[in-house]
């Protein structure tokens, strides 16, 4: 993609930030599909028919999106105004909701599950990517507002119950909400917090460092995460407090009014369920034939909607051999037409599965683009078939901004030992060994290297002589060489450990750097919560993140604070 242009007005330099980039090809565990999409999305038009190479090409599809958007904007915006006002929305957000009422206004969308204390850092990055692109489009005279879709219908509570952060001793720590709050199959957004959330918040601030920002940050968190409030509401309140000044609109799909508005699409999807299932299964085979993976496990018997019982728990619906559909937890069977009728009567009893979710989102909103991560980009390769069957414009997915934030004390450690983020990808032990070899025990390390070279040279000389006497002796020598080198390698590793034991400060600094930059061998953005940065830098860190986001980059950005 192109570099940022004047219309994308915010730059890292405005906040005095230093930013380096790292290709995703150098980052472990990236799928081939994701890497190829970053390299050239147009080459994958077979799977992504609306792909764009540059974000400034998006206005070209505005008319198609506006023409296809038939949902009553007024009712959508009425619902958005009520929920965002309840969450403490500021003037910027309310103005954007009003702007969305205009028939020529588009939406830049991103979304994520409602994580504890907003979840991993990439939740913030996704939201601000949408904010920044909406601003860029406005600069180009394309009316657009940013919307964040709270994935409140998701039922995987374990995934959102824990928040990880760097504690006051600069080590990885976490706090967790009891999973007993969640009933099996219950949408996460409906989980109601009880008094124990106060204890969880207490634990968070006991573990975080004390700073001059505590008086600002602690009330922000406590006011959002209160007993009696459900998970989606608490998440939305905290996100609004952090990002509301940017005019970001939040959307909870569990809202009854939005459910009613989505019901016609639900009904069409129910009627065409067999076509959808076959198409997604076929697309999965196409992906695998092309050497890629299918993110969604596809089956010709699947149904694109979950059915919720009277308690609100959701159940997958599958097609039986007789062509009827039934929820896995019940015996009652339905035809596709019966389910379509039930959807129109009681839309709150249904929610979309992963292949339909994005289509519902873009049915309710005039979506010009969606910001997603690697897994979502993979989903979209299959979801494109659902858009096609339901005769909806296929939304282009843009790779969200990906960042690692490096604080000053960690930056000094990296500079002292000549290290970078990529050096941690093989784990901490190789980093410790390198620091010993190059810095803490360099003289001894050189002696090891010299000794190994001398020993192997002498063994080479001996081998030449033995071969003239008896070739089998040369073979025996090689066996001995391997044992000698193995012993030397073991001794060298013991030397590394002994040297690190003597250099406790260095070991502690490197351990902390690993926890902060690549915790549990994952990118920082996938594990660490925004509370880590808020406690150390206050809410101004949100502005730094906003300015660090580069819409024109598809590389991982390393931001020095």
């Amino acid at each position: 993609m192109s570099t940022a242009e004047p219309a994308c007005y915010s730059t890292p330099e405005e906040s005095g930030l230093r930013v380096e980039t790292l290709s995703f090809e150098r980052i472990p565990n990236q799928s081939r599909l994701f890497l190829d999409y970053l390299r050239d999305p147009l080459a994958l038009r077979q799977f992504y028919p609306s792909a764009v190479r540059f974000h400034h090409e998006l206005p070209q599809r505005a008319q198609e999106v506006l023409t296809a958007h038939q949902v009553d904007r007024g009712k959508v915006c009425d619902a958005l105004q009520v929920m965002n006002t309840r969450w403490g929305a500021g003037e910027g957000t309310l103005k954007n909701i009003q702007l969305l009422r205009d028939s020529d206004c588009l939406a830049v969308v991103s979304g994520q599950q409602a994580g504890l204390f907003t979840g991993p850092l990439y939740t913030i990055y996704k939201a601000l990517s949408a904010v920044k692109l909406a601003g860029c489009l406005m600069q180009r005279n394309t009316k657009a507002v940013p919307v964040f879709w709270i994935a409140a219908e998701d039922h995987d509570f374990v995934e959102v119950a824990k928040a990880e952060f760097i504690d006051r001793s600069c080590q990885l720590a976490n706090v967790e909400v009891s999973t007993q709050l969640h009933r099996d199959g219950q949408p996460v957004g409906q989980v109601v917090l009880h008094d124990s959330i106060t204890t969880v918040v207490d634990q968070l601030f006991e573990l975080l460092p004390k700073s001059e920002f505590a008086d600002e940050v602690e009330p922000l968190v406590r006011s959002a995460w209160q007993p009696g409030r459900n998970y989606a509401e608490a998440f939305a309140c905290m996100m609004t407090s952090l990002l509301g000044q940017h005019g970001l609109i939040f959307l909870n799909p569990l809202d009854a009014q939005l459910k009613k508005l989505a019901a016609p699409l639900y009904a069409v999807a129910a009627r065409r369920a067999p076509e959808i299932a076959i198409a997604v299964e076929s697309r999965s085979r196409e992906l695998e034939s092309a050497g890629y993976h299918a993110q969604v496990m596809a089956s010709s018997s699947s149904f694109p909607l979950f059915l919720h019982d009277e308690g609100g728990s959701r159940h997958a619906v599958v097609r039986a051999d007789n062509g009827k559909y039934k929820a896995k937890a019940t015996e009652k069977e339905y035809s596709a037409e019966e389910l379509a009728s039930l959807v129109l009567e009681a839309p709150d009893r249904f929610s979309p599965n992963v292949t339909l979710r994005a289509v519902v989102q873009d049915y309710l909103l005039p979506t010009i683009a969606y910001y997603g991560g690697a897994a979502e980009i993979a989903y979209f390769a299959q979801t494109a078939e659902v858009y096609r069957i339901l005769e909806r414009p296929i939304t282009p997915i843009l790779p969200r901004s990906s960042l690692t934030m490096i604080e000053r004390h960690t930056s000094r450690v990296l500079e002292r030992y000549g290290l970078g983020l990529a050096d941690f990808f093989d784990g901490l032990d190789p980093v410790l060994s390198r620091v010993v070899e190059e810095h803490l025990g360099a003289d001894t390390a050189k002696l090891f290297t010299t000794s190994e070279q001398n020993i192997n040279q002498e063994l080479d000389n001996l081998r030449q002589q033995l071969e003239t006497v008896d070739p089998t002796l040369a073979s025996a020598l090689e066996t001995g060489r391997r044992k000698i080198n193995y012993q030397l390698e073991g001794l060298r590793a013991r030397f590394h450990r002994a040297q690190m034991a003597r250099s406790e400060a260095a070991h502690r600094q490197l351990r902390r750097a690993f926890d902060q930059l690549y915790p549990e061998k994952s990118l920082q953005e996938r594990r660490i919560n925004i509370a880590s940065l808020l406690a150390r830098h206050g809410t101004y860190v949100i502005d730094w993140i906003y300015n660090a986001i580069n819409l024109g980059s598809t590389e991982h950005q390393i931001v020095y604070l």
Side-chain angles (χ1 to χ4, degrees), residues 21-40 374 402 422 425-426 518 523 554-557:
T21 60
L22 182 68
S23 170
F24 272 96
E25 292 183 355
R26 297 184 59 195
I27 300 175
N29 304 317
Q30 307 303 313
S31 73
R32 182 187 164 201
L33 180 61
F34 178 57
L35 294 176
D36 283 355
Y37 191 82
L38 294 182
R39 194 176 298 112
D40 184 7
S402 178
F425 291 163
D426 289 329
Y518 201 55
L523 286 175
T554 57
E555 295 188 310
H556 184 75
Q557 294 172 264

Side-chain angles (χ1 to χ4, degrees), residues 17 47 146 173 188 318 387:
L17 300 175
F47 307 121
V188 165
V318 295
Y387 281 92

Side-chain angles (χ1 to χ4, degrees), residues 436-497:
V436 169
E437 292 275 326
E438 297 179 1
H439 299 276
L440 304 179
D443 290 340
T444 305
K446 288 177 183 176
L447 282 175
F448 264 105
T449 300
T450 302
S451 298
E452 289 171 359
Q453 290 172 344
N454 290 339
I455 289 170
N456 279 287
Q457 181 60 54
E458 291 302 320
L459 289 174
D460 287 341
N461 295 336
L462 180 57
R463 179 189 173 95
Q464 291 177 4
Q465 294 297 320
L466 291 175
E467 284 179 337
T468 64
V469 178
D470 184 347
T472 61
L473 294 177
S475 177
L477 180 142
E478 289 305 316
T479 301
R481 185 202 297 269
R482 287 192 292 272
K483 291 180 180 179
I484 292 169
N485 284 325
Y486 176 79
Q487 293 296 326
L488 283 172
E489 288 171 7
L491 187 60
R492 195 166 193 159
R494 290 172 60 189
F495 156 65
H496 293 160
R497 291 193 292 271

Side-chain angles (χ1 to χ4, degrees), residues 176-454:
E176 189 170 1
V177 171
S178 172
T179 54
Q180 293 181 357
L181 294 177
H182 178 253
R183 299 190 314 274
D184 186 42
Q186 181 187 23
V188 165
Q190 293 179 345
V191 172
V192 177
L193 300 167
H194 58 41
D195 291 344
S196 63
I197 189 60
T198 303
T199 302
V200 175
V201 176
D202 289 342
Q203 293 171 343
L204 173 70
F205 286 100
E206 286 170 7
L207 292 167
L208 286 171
K210 302 297 182 186
S211 71
E212 65 269 32
F213 305 110
D215 291 342
E216 172 191 25
V217 175
E218 189 166 344
L220 185 154
V221 176
R222 289 190 184 278
S223 65
W225 295 85
Q226 295 180 5
R229 183 171 276 164
N230 70 42
Y231 229 74
E233 299 267 321
F235 172 88
C237 287
M238 184 166 173
M239 288 286 282
T240 298
S241 295
L242 290 174
L243 308 179
Q245 74 270 24
H246 291 286
L248 184 61
I249 300 168
F250 293 93
L251 184 155
N252 181 355
L254 288 170
D255 178 82
Q257 176 70 13
L258 295 181
K259 284 281 187 184
K260 289 178 183 177
L261 292 170
L265 182 71
Y266 284 5
V268 175
R271 291 189 183 101
R272 306 192 71 172
E275 291 175 72
I276 290 172
I278 291 169
V280 172
E281 188 178 46
S282 176
R283 173 53 55 88
S284 300
R285 288 195 298 269
E286 290 173 23
L287 284 163
E288 290 166 354
S289 295
Y292 299 121
H293 73 290
Q295 187 74 20
V296 182
M297 293 294 291
S299 167
S300 60
S301 64
S302 65
F303 188 74
L305 294 158
F306 291 103
L307 179 62
H308 294 248
D309 60 28
E310 293 179 357
S313 295
R314 74 179 197 179
H315 303 281
V317 177
V318 295
R319 188 174 60 183
D321 292 339
N322 63 3
K324 296 275 191 174
Y325 289 92
K326 64 183 290 292
K328 291 184 177 179
T330 66
E331 294 302 320
K332 187 172 182 179
E333 294 184 332
Y334 305 85
S335 68
E337 187 59 42
E338 287 171 335
L339 285 169
S341 298
L342 184 57
V343 160
L344 294 173
E345 293 170 14
D348 57 321
R349 289 196 60 194
F350 293 86
S351 62
N353 72 6
V354 68
T355 62
L356 184 63
R357 191 209 64 77
V359 188
V360 174
Q361 163 196 288
D362 301 335
Y363 176 79
L364 292 172
L365 298 168
T367 308
I368 188 71
Y370 181 86
Y371 270 109
E376 289 167 300
I377 287 173
Y379 284 137
F380 265 59
Q382 294 165 284
T383 301
E385 284 294 272
V386 186
Y387 281 92
R388 179 183 63 79
I389 289 171
L390 298 181
E391 300 177 351
R392 302 297 305 163
I394 300 173
T395 299
I397 183 167
L398 305 178
R400 65 165 174 83
S401 290
S402 178
L403 312 173
T404 290
M405 314 298 283
I406 300 185
E407 297 174 87
R408 192 163 299 171
H409 59 91
T410 303
S411 175
R412 287 196 293 264
V413 173
L414 299 183
E415 290 174 5
R416 182 179 304 128
Y417 298 118
L419 298 170
L421 173 62
D423 293 312
F424 291 91
F425 291 163
D426 289 329
L428 181 59
D429 287 343
V431 172
L432 298 178
S433 296
R434 174 177 162 181
V435 169
V436 169
E437 292 275 326
E438 297 179 1
H439 299 276
L440 304 179
D443 290 340
T444 305
K446 288 177 183 176
L447 282 175
F448 264 105
T449 300
T450 302
S451 298
E452 289 171 359
Q453 290 172 344
N454 290 339

